[in-house]
Amino acid sequence: MTGETGSCNIPPWLPLVLILVTLGSLCTQAVCGNANKMETADFLTPKLVLAPGSVANRYFYNVDFPKGHIALKDLHAELVDEGGNPVPLYETYLHHWVVVKYYGRIGAKKISEFVDNLTLKSSDYISGRNDGICQGDANGQIFGTGSESRKTETRVPDPYGIELGNPDVLPSGFEEKWMINVHAIDMRGVVDKMGCAECRCNLYNITKDALGRPLSADYKGGFLCCYEGTQCRLNQGFEGIKRSVYLKYTAKWVDMDSSVLPIRIYILDITDEWKRTSNSTGINSEHNCKVEYDIEPCNATGLAYKECIDTRRLSLDMPFSGYMLYGYGHQHTGGAGSALYRQDGQVMCTSKPVYGKGKEVGNEAGYIVGISSCYPKPGTIEISKGETLIVEFNYSSIRPHTGVMGLFSIFVADQLPKPRPALDIVAQNQENVSLLNMV
Ligand SMILES: *[C@@H]1O[C@H](CO)[C@@H](O)[C@H](O)[C@H]1NC(C)=O
Ligand SMILES: *[C@@H]1O[C@H](CO)[C@@H](O)[C@H](O)[C@H]1NC(C)=O
Ligand SMILES: *[C@@H]1O[C@H](CO)[C@@H](O)[C@H](O)[C@H]1NC(C)=O
Ligand SMILES: *[C@@H]1O[C@H](CO)[C@@H](O)[C@H](O)[C@H]1NC(C)=O
Ligand SMILES: *[C@@H]1O[C@H](CO)[C@@H](O)[C@H](O)[C@H]1NC(C)=O
Ligand SMILES: *[C@@H]1O[C@H](CO)[C@@H](O)[C@H](O)[C@H]1NC(C)=O
C-alpha cells in the first residue's frame, strides 16, 4: 500500500566514502529527503488513574512537545503502565487521543487542565487547529487516532513535514503550545467489553450528558455516555485495584529549512452536514461535523453476513487545491474499510482496518489494531479547489454499533519535490572512479 518516494535511492554497492561525498554534493534541496538529522523523543502525559470499568477523558494543556522551528515528521502514541509497559486494549481501551496545537498568551496564567471541555474561551488562548474542513473545534487535531494507534503508519513522506514554531506566523504576544486529550476506558471485569468500548448508555447507566443535560431517548451510545468519571457495569463481585496509565507519545522531527516542504492537514468527516453558501465574492461552505454515528443492524434474513455492510457516502467540495501525499480512514470496531474517490469513481486512496487475532499487545483479538494508509507518489493525485470528492466508510452491520467514526485524514502540499538529478548515472561514474582510485 505504501510506496516510498522522493527518498535517496543510493545503490547499496556505493562505497561508504562515496555516499558521504554524494550526500553532501547532490542530495540537498528537497531531492533526497531532507539531509537534516531526524530527532526522536518520547514524552508522557500526566497519569490517568483508572479503577475497573472507569473512564478517563482528560484534556492536558501545555504538555511537553518538541520546540523550535521544526518540521514534525511523525507522532505515535500508546498507553503504558507505571513500569512503562504497553497496556493491552482488553485491559484499557484507548478510545481516542488527539494532539491539538494552540497559542497561549506569553505570561498569562497557566492554562491548567480542563475536564470534558475542549472549547476554551479565553483571551489567553487562540486555536491552532488543522486546515479543515470541519469548523469550530471539531476534528481540529494535528495528530490523533484510537485503538489502531500502534500499527497505523502516519509518517509524513520526505521531503515534506508539518511546519511548527514558525516565528513569522506566531500571533504577536503568544507562544505555540500543545494540548492532548486522552479518552481511555478500563476494561477489567466489565460485563460487555465491546459495549463498554462503544459507550452504550445502558451499560453506563447514563441518561444525562457531562453537563447534566438529559439525553434523548434515541441516543443509545457514544461519547456523551462515557465522559470522565462514568463507570461501565462490572461483573458481579469483580474486584480489582486502581491503576495508573499514561499516554506515551513519540515525536519525530527535523529542523525546518528550505529542504523541507510544508504540508497541510485536512480531515474529512463522514458525518459532516455541510451546505454550500454563496456571498458576493463567491461560493463558500458551512460545515457541521457530528463526529460520531450509529450503525443499525441489518437483521436481513437470507443475506450472507458479508453483505451486511453499512455504506455511507458523502460528497464534499474541497475548499483547497494541492497534491495529496497521504490518506487514511479512522474507524472503530466493526469498521470494514474506507476510501476517497473522485466524482467519476476514480479511487484516490483506500484504507482498511486490521483486526487483532491474539492476546499480545498490538494484536488484541477483536480490536482494530492498525489501519492501512496510502502514500500516492507526489504529483500523481492532484486536488483542485472547488472539486467535489466522495468519502466512503463501510461498517459491518451484522451487529449494531454506537458511536462509530469515519474520519478521512489527508496530507496536502502545494509544491512538488524538485526533480532529482541523474543520481544513478553520476553515482555509477563515480563508482568507477572510486573503484579505480581504491584498487
Ligand atoms: C468548561 O465547562 C464548564 C462546565 O463543565 C463550564 O462551566 C465552563 O464555562 C467551561 N469553560 C470554558 C473555558 O469553556
Ligand atoms: C442508575 O442510575 C440511577 C439514577 O441515575 C440510580 O438510581 C440507579 O441505582 C443506577 N443503577 C445502577 C445499576 O447503578
Ligand atoms: C465569501 O466567499 C469567499 C469565497 O469562498 C470567501 O473567501 C469569503 O471569506 C466569504 N466572505 C464572507 C464575508 O463570508
Ligand atoms: C463498501 O461497500 C460497498 C458495498 O458492499 C462496496 O461496493 C465498496 O467497494 C466498499 N468500499 C470500501 C472502501 O471497502
Ligand atoms: C436485530 O438484531 C439485534 C441484535 O443484533 C436485535 O437487538 C434487534 O432486536 C434485531 N431487530 C430485529 C428487527 O429483528
Ligand atoms: C565502468 O568501468 C567499466 C570497466 O572499466 C566499464 O566497462 C564501464 O563502461 C564503466 N562504466 C561507466 C558508467 O563509466
Side-chain angles (χ1 to χ4, degrees):
M1 284 296 236
T2 67
E4 181 68 58
T5 51
S7 61
C8 200
N9 289 324
I10 294 174
W13 41 259
L14 198 60
L16 180 67
V17 60
L18 248 179
I19 293 182
L20 295 175
V21 171
T22 51
L23 266 179
S25 57
L26 293 169
C27 295
T28 53
Q29 294 291 312
V31 169
C32 294
N34 33 73
N36 304 356
K37 187 166 157 279
M38 182 85 85
E39 312 265 1
T40 299
D42 287 336
F43 304 94
L44 289 180
T45 61
K47 69 179 167 194
L48 310 165
V49 181
L50 289 163
S54 71
V55 176
N57 183 29
R58 305 277 292 274
Y59 298 87
F60 299 114
Y61 283 87
N62 203 13
V63 293
D64 291 334
F65 213 75
K67 294 204 176 4
H69 191 191
I70 58 169
L72 189 63
K73 295 290 293 179
D74 206 351
L75 192 79
H76 267 272
E78 65 173 343
L79 287 176
V80 297
D81 65 15
E82 295 269 18
N85 309 303
V87 180
L89 293 167
Y90 50 80
E91 288 183 10
T92 311
Y93 179 71
L94 185 53
H95 184 277
H96 68 258
W97 58 273
V98 294
V99 174
V100 173
K101 187 176 74 176
Y102 68 96
Y103 302 104
R105 189 184 296 282
I106 294 166
K109 202 169 69 179
K110 201 174 138 220
I111 297 170
S112 55
E113 183 199 329
F114 285 77
V115 172
D116 268 316
N117 202 333
L118 196 56
T119 315
L120 268 170
K121 289 187 183 56
S122 157
S123 59
D124 295 336
Y125 171 92
I126 298 174
S127 160
R129 62 158 300 137
N130 62 28
D131 297 276
I133 58 177
C134 296
Q135 284 163 342
D137 295 311
N139 302 322
Q141 61 266 24
I142 302 299
F143 273 106
T145 65
S147 72
E148 76 271 30
S149 215
R150 290 188 174 104
K151 289 194 173 154
T152 299
E153 190 156 21
T154 51
R155 91 199 136 79
V156 182
D158 290 335
Y160 295 95
I162 300 165
E163 184 175 10
L164 301 176
N166 181 350
D168 297 339
V169 302
L170 206 55
S172 151
F174 284 77
E175 56 194 336
E176 189 179 271
K177 299 207 172 243
W178 294 86
M179 186 279 281
I180 296 187
N181 168 219
V182 190
H183 188 176
I185 303 174
D186 194 300
M187 306 289 265
R188 293 172 297 159
V190 299
V191 292
D192 173 356
K193 283 183 192 274
M194 278 306 150
C196 293
E198 292 191 341
C199 300
R200 292 210 198 114
C201 302
N202 61 336
L203 291 173
Y204 286 88
N205 193 25
I206 291 293
T207 53
K208 292 176 179 163
D209 72 10
L211 301 178
R213 294 171 300 202
L215 297 170
S216 75
D218 61 1
Y219 188 83
K220 298 282 183 254
F223 58 56
L224 296 181
C225 285
C226 58
Y227 43 88
E228 170 77 19
T230 55
Q231 171 72 44
C232 206
R233 195 184 306 153
L234 295 176
N235 288 312
Q236 199 112 53
F238 182 84
E239 303 226 0
I241 52 162
K242 281 189 179 172
R243 77 161 175 202
S244 300
V245 297
Y246 303 77
L247 188 79
K248 175 177 146 192
Y249 52 108
T250 304
K252 293 190 174 174
W253 72 96
V254 295
D255 283 341
M256 188 69 202
D257 65 22
S258 61
S259 71
V260 185
L261 303 177
I263 59 144
R264 283 173 278 118
I265 299 169
Y266 297 94
I267 299 180
L268 316 178
D269 186 337
I270 196 74
T271 68
D272 190 347
E273 290 174 356
W274 71 284
K275 61 171 190 277
R276 287 188 190 102
T277 56
S278 56
N279 63 24
S280 50
T281 52
I283 308 282
N284 213 339
S285 54
E286 278 170 20
H287 295 265
N288 178 14
C289 296
K290 306 276 186 185
V291 187
E292 290 191 329
Y293 66 110
D294 293 339
I295 304 294
E296 301 298 333
C298 61
N299 295 44
T301 42
L303 266 189
Y305 266 7
K306 67 176 199 296
E307 291 167 49
C308 279
I309 292 281
D310 175 281
T311 299
R312 277 210 179 193
R313 303 185 114 226
L314 175 71
S315 296
L316 268 176
D317 288 358
M318 297 296 113
F320 57 85
S321 59
Y323 301 102
M324 179 173 151
L325 304 170
Y326 170 79
Y328 126 82
H330 167 73
Q331 295 199 281
H332 289 190
T333 307
S338 62
L340 187 62
Y341 302 99
R342 292 201 197 272
Q343 262 186 317
D344 65 4
Q346 186 197 333
V347 180
M348 299 169 74
C349 177
T350 58
S351 182
K352 284 235 182 294
V354 176
Y355 286 83
K357 295 190 172 67
K359 283 216 81 161
E360 66 279 18
V361 164
N363 187 31
E364 297 93 333
Y367 295 88
I368 293 184
V369 295
I371 296 182
S372 70
S373 39
C374 64
Y375 284 90
K377 184 171 150 49
T380 56
I381 299 195
E382 199 172 348
I383 296 170
S384 323
K385 186 170 176 174
E387 181 177 2
T388 305
L389 299 182
I390 295 157
V391 189
E392 180 178 76
F393 273 88
N394 283 353
Y395 271 88
S396 160
S397 57
I398 292 169
R399 274 181 278 282
H401 295 282
T402 58
V404 304
M405 293 194 193
L407 303 181
F408 210 93
S409 301
I410 58 175
F411 296 161
V412 174
D414 290 330
Q415 284 172 270
L416 289 177
K418 296 209 180 83
R420 296 171 47 163
L423 177 65
D424 293 343
I425 296 167
V426 178
Q428 194 130 30
N429 285 335
Q430 294 196 0
E431 178 207 22
N432 271 8
V433 171
S434 72
L435 288 177
L436 288 174
N437 285 351
M438 279 192 286
V439 169

